[in-house]
Amino acid sequence: MSELVTASIEGLRPYQAGKPVEELERELGIENAVKLASNENPLGASPQVLAALPGLLAQIGRYPDGAAYKLRQAIAEFHAVSQAEVICGAGSNELLELLYRTFTTGEHHAVFGEPSFVIYRAGALAHGVPFSAVALRNEVHDLAAMAAAVTPRTRLLFIANPNNPTGTYVGRQALERLLRDVPASVIIVLDEAYVEYADAPDYPDCSKLRHLRERLVVLRTFSKAYGLASLRVGYALGPAVLIDYMNRLRAPFNVGHLGQAAGVIALGDQVHVARSCELNRVERARMTQELASFGFQVTPSQANFVWLDTQRNAREVYETLLRKGVIVRPFVAYPRHLRITVGTVAENDRLYAALRGVLA
Ligand SMILES: *Cc1c(COP(=O)(O)O)cnc(C)c1O
């Protein structure tokens, strides 16, 4: 063991991001690689955001508004809550980290699903917080088992809904039961990074859940359906007491000027969000069908990606697709699985053509 860091930090590995397009193009000497690995919006940002950005550049020599006043105001209005119930972060990733930093020590305990968003585990390891990673059941969060994993030390319980990487969701009734049954001392974090894409009739509306418990924090991001991944903007909604504590530890200028302004404009362009979700709805159905036709077992998705059991060594499929200029997402811990982001019609067609080549 190193003398420099704790055992759990020693055991951490850097976040494994999807391979950048430029890197693959350099390696292969090609120009038209397609990235279906990081769940970005294939249409990119709203045209209104793109039109406004040049005019914002003159201000980048100045520090941004540390309180992100206008962005929090827009978010508060959008959700019909008060500004004291909103905190912005450099992506919701920063807010996940901030939740650990603010509310836990090594004396506490966290609960999350397995597989779920890797940052829940990374945050626990980084801060030396003991945790229970509760296996999903039939690819869905097992809320009863998660509730049963709660101890008197549990401070944070994370549910990604829809879940990453499985794309599955928990319905309103099951979630309501969890929010009611888990002891009031636990902060339940509902990570809704993919909420805009969910269209199941019993997908829960978070604004109708808040009365069920005080300690509920909802996370949203501008990185997915809003198409602002590179600007790093996300937010949390929660009771003012919790938000106030998080604000005390927040880095003063955590969201830049461009991100704050773009967030306000993006939130105002719900037409772009609807257009993006409609493309995703049609192409997600087509992708599910196409991938199944290759003999893969595809989990029904409520998000903008699908999770599939390739029934073989997924690393080989991944490597072969790479050589054809298509980047998807493998998982070391799940050697038969891949996660594939739903792209544009043309991007998805590239994937299917490449797969035909691979499996022929
Ligand atoms: C992508 C994602 C996030 C958000 O990432 P940021 O870019 O940091 O906002 C949060 N949770 C889950 C489950 C995600 O997949």
Side-chain angles (χ1 to χ4, degrees), residues 298-341:
V298 188
T299 304
S301 172
Q302 282 287 295
N304 66 339
F305 54 85
V306 297
W307 173 245
L308 53 142
D309 182 345
T310 63
Q311 321 262 7
R312 70 194 81 207
N313 183 342
R315 194 84 206 176
E316 283 171 18
V317 180
Y318 166 72
E319 300 281 352
T320 319
L321 285 174
L322 271 190
R323 286 195 289 277
K324 292 176 177 286
V326 179
I327 309 169
V328 300
R329 184 73 148 77
F331 287 78
V332 176
Y334 295 87
R336 286 154 52 109
H337 285 78
L338 293 173
R339 191 193 69 199
I340 306 184
T341 304

Side-chain angles (χ1 to χ4, degrees), residues 38-39 90-94 96 117 120 160 162-164 191 193-194 220-224 229 232-234 305 339:
S38 298
N39 304 340
S92 42
N93 263 289
E94 187 196 18
L96 288 166
F117 193 41
Y120 309 150
N163 188 39
N164 177 7
D191 182 348
Y194 303 98
R220 296 275 183 111
T221 181
F222 286 98
S223 298
K224 306 292 160 55
R232 314 302 305 127
V233 199
F305 54 85
R339 191 193 69 199

Side-chain angles (χ1 to χ4, degrees), residues 117-134:
F117 193 41
V118 293
I119 300 300
Y120 309 150
R121 181 189 299 266
L125 289 170
H127 297 281
V129 180
F131 59 86
S132 301
V134 178

Side-chain angles (χ1 to χ4, degrees), residues 113 116 136-137 139-143 146 158-160 163 168 170:
S116 190
L136 269 56
R137 194 174 159 170
E139 316 277 18
V140 181
H141 270 111
D142 185 344
L143 297 189
M146 292 178 85
F158 298 92
I159 302 157
N163 188 39
T168 51
V170 292

